[in-house]
Amino acid sequence: MQLLLIRHAEPNNARAETGVADPPLTEAGRLQASRLPDALSPYNITRLFSSPQLRALQTAEPVAERRGLDVEKLEDIAEYDYGHDHYFTIDAAKDVAPAAYKRILAGHLPDFVDGDAFRTRVLRGIDHVVETCDHAETVALFVHGGVVNIVLQHLLELPRPLMFPIEYASVTRILVSRSGARRVASLNETGHVRDTLRV
């Protein structure tokens, strides 16, 4: 089995007056998402899973339309900010939430996150996908930078949870053997959106 972990494309910043912040993609994000069907064309993708957060769902839309596949929402692969009243990109966080920004740059989750609970949830979600798909399948999961990093931390036995700056609309490939063993095949593939990313 092959798992394609696809980070959502660029979203807007958002702060909800009441309820939950769930921002859509920016115009640049829409462009990035539109590149994914061609970028994923070498893969025989049979199922699509997505975080229930709008930025992930909108990133999945072009692939779902091209492939004629439904997108299966899975709460366990939502980001660590799921259910919160604000969302800021890392660029915006530098000014809006400098303490969280410094923690993220140092490889740590923001202090409002229960790291153990987040890790348990994400790995449970990945296990669910593996257990409910056939071994021969290639499955695309539209997720978040924190989710991809947690999977990488687990597989590579890394000391901190946010070790990689996972780019918008990037693809990270995980191979799963028949025995259940998992290994990283590629990380943070961005050739299809390199010209759209902020350097």
Side-chain angles (χ1 to χ4, degrees), residues 1-197:
M1 179 184 296
Q2 183 168 216
L3 305 179
L4 307 178
L5 305 183
I6 302 161
R7 189 191 177 194
H8 63 78
E10 181 184 85
N12 284 290
N13 296 293
R15 187 187 292 277
E17 294 298 326
T18 58
V20 174
D22 195 15
L25 298 181
T26 62
E27 280 300 310
R30 290 282 190 182
L31 174 62
Q32 291 163 351
S34 75
R35 302 260 185 95
L36 283 167
D38 287 341
L40 299 175
S41 62
Y43 304 109
N44 183 28
I45 298 169
T46 51
R47 290 178 73 177
L48 305 177
F49 290 86
S50 177
S51 156
Q53 291 167 279
L54 186 58
R55 57 193 187 270
L57 290 168
Q58 288 185 340
T59 303
E61 285 173 1
V63 176
E65 183 176 349
R66 173 81 64 88
R67 300 276 178 155
L69 295 172
D70 292 331
V71 178
E72 303 175 52
K73 295 181 186 179
L74 184 58
E75 284 196 354
D76 280 347
I77 57 174
E79 185 61 296
Y80 54 74
D81 62 6
Y82 185 48
H84 284 258
D85 65 357
H86 62 275
Y87 171 82
F88 298 107
T89 64
I90 191 66
D91 290 331
K94 186 187 305 184
D95 298 320
V96 177
Y101 175 78
K102 288 179 181 177
R103 284 184 60 85
I104 290 169
L105 284 194
H108 300 287
L109 293 163
D111 57 11
F112 67 82
V113 180
D114 182 332
D116 290 338
F118 178 53
R119 183 177 299 103
T120 297
R121 170 167 67 76
V122 167
L123 297 179
R124 182 177 65 215
I126 299 298
D127 286 345
H128 170 80
V129 171
V130 171
E131 291 163 6
T132 58
C133 295
D134 186 84
H135 175 74
E137 290 188 283
T138 293
V139 182
L141 295 82
F142 294 85
V143 294
H144 307 264
V147 171
V148 176
N149 265 295
I150 286 293
V151 174
L152 293 172
Q153 182 192 25
H154 177 69
L155 294 180
L156 301 176
E157 299 181 349
L158 300 171
R160 296 184 299 281
L162 301 181
M163 295 290 285
F164 298 101
I166 303 300
E167 302 283 3
Y168 293 130
S170 66
V171 180
T172 293
R173 296 188 299 121
I174 307 296
L175 302 182
V176 184
S177 72
R178 290 187 183 278
S179 69
R182 301 169 195 181
R183 64 185 177 88
V184 180
S186 71
L187 195 158
N188 207 29
E189 297 177 22
T190 58
H192 52 291
V193 291
R194 174 51 54 190
D195 62 309
T196 72
L197 300 173

